[in-house]
Amino acid sequence: MTESEKPNWRPMWKELGIDMEKHDQLLSVLPDVFKEIYIDAQKNRPEAIGFWDFVVGDIHGIRVNELKKAKDEGKKVVGTFCLYVPDEIIFALGAIGVGLCGGTNFSNYAAEDVLPANICALIKSAIGFGIGNICPYYAMTDILIGETTCDGKKKAWEVLSDYKPIYVMETPQCKSRPQAREHFITELKALIKKLEEVTGNKLTVENLKAAMEKISKKRAQMRRIYEARKANPPPISGKDALLMSQVAFYDDPDREIEMVGKLADELEQRIKDGVGVGDKKAKRILISGTPMAIPNWKMHHIIEKNGAIVVAEETCTGTRYFDAEFPEIKGDSINDLLELIADRYLNINCACFTPNDTRLLDIKQLVNEYKVDGVVLYTLSFCQAYDIEAVAFEKILKKEGIPVISITTDYSSEDVSQLTTRIEAFLEML
Amino acid sequence: MTESEKPNWRPMWKELGIDMEKHDQLLSVLPDVFKEIYIDAQKNRPEAIGFWDFVVGDIHGIRVNELKKAKDEGKKVVGTFCLYVPDEIIFALGAIGVGLCGGTNFSNYAAEDVLPANICALIKSAIGFGIGNICPYYAMTDILIGETTCDGKKKAWEVLSDYKPIYVMETPQCKSRPQAREHFITELKALIKKLEEVTGNKLTVENLKAAMEKISKKRAQMRRIYEARKANPPPISGKDALLMSQVAFYDDPDREIEMVGKLADELEQRIKDGVGVGDKKAKRILISGTPMAIPNWKMHHIIEKNGAIVVAEETCTGTRYFDAEFPEIKGDSINDLLELIADRYLNINCACFTPNDTRLLDIKQLVNEYKVDGVVLYTLSFCQAYDIEAVAFEKILKKEGIPVISITTDYSSEDVSQLTTRIEAFLEML
């Protein structure tokens, strides 16, 4: 679709109260950035990735319009900021879940008045997009669902509550205890009560089971992409796989099942045909740490520009998003199903929990399974949880002979040349 | 007690495995700092404050020796880092609770290997004292009890678990919900189970009630000190009141009841006699924010050196420590008493909770009751929770005509002249 073929979304954005001047600025920058990082810097991409190029090219268009249509039909749009808020429940109640994390400092100006300087880039970006009225997805939401995963987010909800209806789900802090599971289930029930009020729908065994099956299918397709990345050479770049994952947070799950499935088909065929991106000898990198919200492609770009390939991400926009799964979706009551949901979500190893030594096991397993040459521990500045884990994990991985580098950064481009130098040196060492 | 009259504690410290060289350095610096800040810079102090001068003068001596004796008699010493870990339960089980937060960057060198650069000074200090073997109180503990109040602490427990037995109590994140109370009580029960194992003692209605009464009495005496500070001129400096509060975290509760009581008697007499510290026209300052662990006297010193008086602290080392209280200590079962404990603790308004708008009400109430001229919002760098609340509270207080200044700092002396300039300008404006 060329620019001239695109529908005119401006009336829709205006209706949503979008700050058109700022929004125009944003949309005038993004295509160039995308072209540089995704189109010009890559070759031999799978054909099916065209869907994601299209999605970025129309980032605030078709999907927003779909949400608008759904709302016109009485559906509710629910904004989330963390994978611990179960999409299964949102979709079961006939609502649409949309991940709203921000991945660019473009929106920071709008958050500067309500946030201190030393704050996580992801939170600052998301708040800026929200209160600056530059994100149509945010504008489309009827309610935001926060959680209590980290200090910055706990306070972010208080800031956002001045602008939007928001409900906070309490996520447990010590995930492996029986009482954490119990408390999480209690909180899931409170969330259901809230979302039943918002949607006017009632959760049933049937609609919950159906939503669990759908979201599971989406995760299964994403898992296929990651499985394919184990091949040498990988049939897809880390950058493209990351984009696939980023879009999965807000796209329609049915379309995701279809499009990610098609991409996976192609990648599996590529492996059979011995087709890959890059060199067989390219160094294979695992990135582990904080999430990378769209359009945060900085780290992947630096690594892949320098000849290595990111083969997996142990992040919320990576394996944490789809790895844990229901053993089987069965149960005669909502309670049975909520136990499955609780167990699935409490099986995700985020640094917001203590202890979280299981995350280190995940990293080691990925290093083995993906034949990783080096690990990049990636932390957004001021994220104390991942920052402290990185110090510990770096030492342990080094001791076990696994090459590792710890990078703390944000969304600015100021440190790109410094990071490039460090990554170059790291890759040479492998 | 002069230096030569002091018992020789060196054999005790050596036995505890203290790093004697570093410890000697620490103890050689502290008296000079204390003399400068507490003795030389103040006049007309209440006589009873002599006890606290003595405590600082023998900071790692008598009290540590008491703990040693108690341990020899089979008692257990329990280290804590937050006022949400109920002393009532620790003391009811015949153990001794000792607050271990660190208030100086002297110990940072020992934590540098296990922590990132951007980390809260209090956590860095505490971890440094612990793993650097320079704190005899830490060395005396049989077990540490952590909590899940903030990101930095959640990870700190993981670091400390390599060096000491540690148990983490999960504190709720959204305190005002019924399920938070329930969950907190469940966690209190789990803590009791753990501490029963550690102490070999059994919690009973009787011993719990007795401990609740004792700790309540301590808090009541502390409240008398703060009540006295409402007078104009205040009968005690902010600096001295802060020291009283800091020591209360680790001193014997019975002695605290006695000594704080004596100090309160004297302050009340002073008010009757019209005796105070400083000028009646001195500006009255409320400090609100993160805790100030001993020997962090930096902010108070800057303010009082410039002619103002700190009349109250809305901090963990201030009103949050003693303000919430049991309506009445009665109940026929442990469960009844735990409900009282849960309600008391969940009535403390720390930024670790969301929402936490009740903290703003506390600040406003203190401003009125203490006839405060200006509020200093005090945040330790990298504490996102207090940092974000400070941005919001500053705006609201300003809008309501309450003079306010927001200060983010740490334990270093590097910013003292800059802070002094800012505080001077703030005081002039009042």
Side-chain angles (χ1 to χ4, degrees):
Chain A
M1 189 164 62
T2 65
E3 279 305 306
S4 61
E5 284 164 0
K6 261 193 214 168
N8 179 13
W9 302 121
R10 298 183 68 83
M12 174 177 75
W13 295 331
K14 271 188 195 155
E15 201 190 314
L16 282 170
I18 295 299
D19 178 337
M20 295 302 285
E21 196 188 325
K22 279 288 168 189
H23 191 251
D24 283 348
Q25 282 174 25
L26 177 67
L27 290 202
S28 73
V29 178
L30 190 63
D32 291 342
V33 174
F34 188 75
K35 185 170 177 291
E36 182 201 334
I37 295 181
Y38 272 86
I39 310 299
D40 298 347
Q42 300 197 101
K43 46 187 182 189
N44 207 18
R45 299 169 76 207
E47 259 181 55
I49 206 73
F51 167 70
W52 283 269
D53 292 351
F54 170 81
V55 165
V56 175
D58 189 43
I59 193 131
H60 289 167
I62 291 179
R63 180 66 184 143
V64 176
N65 193 46
E66 282 176 3
L67 297 179
K68 184 175 150 41
K69 280 186 188 159
K71 279 170 75 101
D72 289 346
E73 288 163 12
K75 284 205 170 200
K76 299 294 177 186
V77 177
V78 176
T80 61
F81 300 85
C82 174
L83 45 77
Y84 286 106
V85 178
D87 264 347
E88 289 90 339
I89 290 170
I90 296 169
F91 283 92
L93 286 165
I96 301 173
V98 179
L100 289 175
C101 293
T104 163
N105 57 11
F106 175 86
S107 56
N108 283 6
Y109 72 93
E112 249 139 42
D113 194 38
V114 293
L115 289 179
N118 292 347
I119 187 91
C120 152
L122 189 145
I123 291 172
K124 192 165 208 168
S125 177
I127 290 186
F129 271 112
I131 68 181
N133 293 319
I134 32 178
C135 175
Y137 293 101
Y138 178 94
M140 274 291 173
T141 57
D142 296 285
I143 187 169
L144 309 175
I145 308 291
E147 17 57 45
T148 60
T149 46
C150 71
D151 295 345
K153 281 184 161 187
K154 281 191 276 182
K155 296 295 116 177
W157 317 139
E158 295 167 20
V159 172
L160 287 172
S161 69
D162 285 343
Y163 305 85
K164 264 277 179 191
I166 184 158
Y167 175 85
V168 180
M169 180 180 82
E170 184 168 311
T171 38
Q173 309 292 299
C174 307
K175 64 175 183 281
S176 54
R177 303 181 178 180
Q179 65 260 39
R181 182 180 188 256
E182 236 171 273
H183 184 53
F184 190 45
I185 291 172
T186 304
E187 283 289 332
L188 289 177
K189 287 179 182 166
L191 173 69
I192 290 165
K193 191 165 168 263
K194 180 70 193 178
L195 287 177
E196 283 182 338
E197 280 166 30
V198 170
T199 60
N201 298 326
K202 193 92 194 133
L203 196 77
T204 65
V205 172
E206 290 66 37
N207 63 24
L208 182 53
K209 219 182 254 184
M212 288 166 76
E213 271 156 13
K214 184 186 286 190
I215 304 295
S216 271
K217 264 187 206 157
K218 181 175 100 168
R219 288 196 285 255
Q221 297 303 336
M222 295 178 73
R223 220 174 288 129
R224 286 178 65 201
I225 305 296
Y226 272 63
E227 277 300 312
R229 297 169 78 187
K230 291 181 181 173
N232 190 18
I236 185 170
S237 68
K239 237 182 254 182
D240 279 329
L242 173 64
L243 179 60
M244 176 282 299
S245 184
Q246 289 170 333
V247 170
F249 276 80
Y250 67 90
D251 195 21
D252 174 54
D254 286 317
R255 183 169 44 230
E256 283 294 299
I257 293 166
E258 186 195 337
M259 302 312 289
V260 180
K262 274 190 190 165
L263 177 61
D265 291 343
E266 185 183 347
L267 299 187
E268 286 159 10
Q269 187 58 48
R270 279 189 153 207
I271 295 171
K272 281 183 197 147
D273 299 342
V275 177
V277 292
D279 199 313
K280 261 198 167 187
K281 284 177 197 152
K283 299 301 176 191
R284 303 169 64 85
I285 303 297
L286 167 71
I287 295 184
S288 170
T290 47
M292 294 167 168
I294 198 165
N296 176 15
W297 305 305
K298 178 170 156 177
M299 212 53 236
H300 281 65
H301 187 48
I302 293 174
I303 293 167
E304 301 199 330
K305 208 170 54 180
N306 281 288
I309 298 178
V310 179
V311 291
E313 297 83 11
E314 190 280 316
T315 65
C316 301
T317 42
T319 55
R320 264 179 244 141
Y321 189 48
F322 59 77
D323 225 15
E325 206 34 277
F326 309 123
E328 199 181 348
I329 300 169
K330 64 173 188 184
D332 301 323
S333 67
I334 288 178
N335 223 58
D336 289 346
L337 298 174
L338 290 183
E339 284 182 11
L340 289 176
I341 290 177
D343 289 339
R344 182 204 174 258
Y345 281 91
L346 293 179
N347 207 7
I348 302 171
N349 300 314
C350 172
C352 67
F353 296 117
T354 187
N356 189 39
D357 33 1
T358 37
R359 187 182 148 218
L360 186 65
L361 300 180
D362 288 346
I363 293 174
K364 288 186 198 172
Q365 193 182 336
L366 291 168
V367 167
N368 282 329
E369 287 182 1
Y370 288 78
K371 299 197 172 36
V372 164
D373 295 305
V375 177
V376 174
L377 294 170
Y378 169 83
T379 309
L380 284 173
S381 304
F382 310 117
C383 175
Q384 295 200 8
Y386 277 94
D387 220 1
I388 302 180
E389 285 198 358
V391 175
F393 290 2
E394 189 182 2
K395 275 194 281 191
I396 296 169
L397 292 174
K398 267 187 187 157
K399 201 181 271 178
E400 300 191 5
I402 300 168
V404 57
I405 185 170
S406 183
I407 304 259
T408 301
T409 184
D410 55 21
Y411 294 165
S412 84
S413 52
E414 275 170 36
D415 61 352
V416 166
S417 68
Q418 188 217 339
L419 289 182
T420 302
T421 310
R422 288 187 63 202
I423 289 292
E424 277 170 356
F426 179 63
L427 295 177
E428 268 169 35
M429 194 198 75
L430 299 179
Chain B
M1 187 164 60
T2 64
E3 279 306 304
S4 60
E5 284 163 1
K6 263 194 213 166
N8 179 13
W9 302 120
R10 298 182 68 82
M12 175 177 75
W13 294 332
K14 272 188 196 158
E15 200 188 316
L16 281 170
I18 294 301
D19 178 338
M20 295 302 285
E21 196 189 323
K22 279 286 169 189
H23 191 251
D24 283 347
Q25 281 173 27
L26 177 67
L27 291 202
S28 72
V29 179
L30 190 64
D32 291 343
V33 174
F34 188 76
K35 184 169 178 290
E36 181 200 334
I37 296 181
Y38 272 87
I39 311 299
D40 298 346
Q42 300 196 101
K43 46 186 182 187
N44 207 19
R45 298 169 78 206
E47 258 181 56
I49 205 72
F51 167 70
W52 283 269
D53 293 351
F54 170 81
V55 165
V56 175
D58 189 44
I59 192 131
H60 288 167
I62 291 179
R63 180 65 184 143
V64 176
N65 192 47
E66 283 176 1
L67 297 179
K68 183 175 149 41
K69 278 186 190 159
K71 279 171 75 99
D72 289 345
E73 289 162 12
K75 284 203 170 202
K76 299 294 176 186
V77 177
V78 176
T80 61
F81 300 85
C82 174
L83 45 78
Y84 286 106
V85 178
D87 264 347
E88 289 89 340
I89 289 169
I90 296 170
F91 282 94
L93 285 166
I96 302 173
V98 180
L100 289 176
C101 292
T104 163
N105 56 10
F106 175 85
S107 56
N108 283 5
Y109 72 92
E112 248 139 43
D113 194 38
V114 294
L115 291 178
N118 292 347
I119 186 92
C120 151
L122 189 144
I123 290 172
K124 193 167 207 166
S125 177
I127 289 186
F129 271 114
I131 68 180
N133 293 318
I134 32 180
C135 174
Y137 293 102
Y138 179 94
M140 273 293 175
T141 57
D142 295 286
I143 188 169
L144 308 175
I145 307 293
E147 16 58 45
T148 60
T149 46
C150 72
D151 295 345
K153 280 185 163 187
K154 282 192 274 181
K155 297 294 117 178
W157 317 140
E158 296 167 20
V159 173
L160 287 172
S161 69
D162 284 343
Y163 305 86
K164 264 277 181 195
I166 184 157
Y167 175 85
V168 179
M169 181 180 82
E170 184 168 313
T171 37
Q173 309 291 301
C174 306
K175 64 175 182 282
S176 52
R177 303 182 177 179
Q179 66 260 40
R181 181 179 189 257
E182 234 170 274
H183 184 52
F184 190 44
I185 291 173
T186 304
E187 283 289 333
L188 289 177
K189 286 178 184 166
L191 173 68
I192 290 165
K193 190 164 167 264
K194 181 69 193 179
L195 287 176
E196 284 182 338
E197 280 165 30
V198 170
T199 60
N201 298 326
K202 193 93 193 131
L203 196 78
T204 65
V205 172
E206 290 67 37
N207 63 25
L208 183 53
K209 218 181 255 184
M212 287 167 76
E213 271 156 13
K214 183 186 285 190
I215 304 296
S216 272
K217 265 187 205 158
K218 181 175 99 168
R219 288 196 286 254
Q221 296 304 336
M222 294 178 73
R223 219 174 287 128
R224 285 178 65 201
I225 305 296
Y226 271 63
E227 277 301 312
R229 296 170 79 187
K230 292 181 180 171
N232 190 17
I236 185 170
S237 68
K239 236 183 260 184
D240 278 330
L242 173 64
L243 179 60
M244 177 282 297
S245 185
Q246 289 171 333
V247 170
F249 276 80
Y250 67 89
D251 194 23
D252 174 55
D254 286 317
R255 182 168 47 229
E256 283 294 299
I257 293 168
E258 186 195 338
M259 302 313 288
V260 179
K262 275 189 189 166
L263 178 61
D265 290 343
E266 185 182 347
L267 299 188
E268 286 159 10
Q269 187 57 50
R270 280 188 151 206
I271 295 171
K272 281 184 198 149
D273 300 341
V275 177
V277 292
D279 198 314
K280 261 198 169 187
K281 285 178 196 153
K283 297 301 174 191
R284 302 169 64 85
I285 303 298
L286 166 70
I287 296 184
S288 171
T290 46
M292 295 167 166
I294 198 164
N296 176 15
W297 304 307
K298 178 171 155 176
M299 213 54 237
H300 281 65
H301 187 48
I302 293 173
I303 293 168
E304 300 199 330
K305 208 169 54 178
N306 282 288
I309 296 178
V310 178
V311 291
E313 295 85 10
E314 191 280 314
T315 64
C316 301
T317 42
T319 54
R320 265 179 243 139
Y321 189 48
F322 59 77
D323 224 16
E325 205 36 277
F326 309 123
E328 199 181 347
I329 300 169
K330 64 173 187 183
D332 301 322
S333 67
I334 288 178
N335 222 56
D336 289 346
L337 298 175
L338 290 183
E339 283 182 13
L340 290 176
I341 291 177
D343 289 339
R344 180 201 176 261
Y345 282 91
L346 293 180
N347 207 8
I348 303 171
N349 300 313
C350 172
C352 67
F353 295 116
T354 187
N356 188 41
D357 33 0
T358 36
R359 187 182 149 217
L360 187 65
L361 299 180
D362 288 346
I363 293 174
K364 288 186 198 171
Q365 192 181 336
L366 291 169
V367 166
N368 281 330
E369 287 181 2
Y370 288 79
K371 301 197 171 36
V372 165
D373 296 303
V375 177
V376 175
L377 294 171
Y378 168 84
T379 310
L380 284 173
S381 304
F382 310 116
C383 176
Q384 296 200 8
Y386 277 94
D387 220 0
I388 302 180
E389 286 198 357
V391 174
F393 289 3
E394 188 181 2
K395 274 194 282 192
I396 297 169
L397 292 174
K398 267 187 186 159
K399 201 180 271 177
E400 300 191 4
I402 299 169
V404 56
I405 185 171
S406 184
I407 304 261
T408 301
T409 184
D410 55 21
Y411 294 165
S412 82
S413 52
E414 276 170 36
D415 61 352
V416 166
S417 69
Q418 187 218 339
L419 289 182
T420 302
T421 310
R422 288 187 64 202
I423 288 292
E424 278 170 357
F426 179 63
L427 295 177
E428 266 167 36
M429 194 199 76
L430 297 180

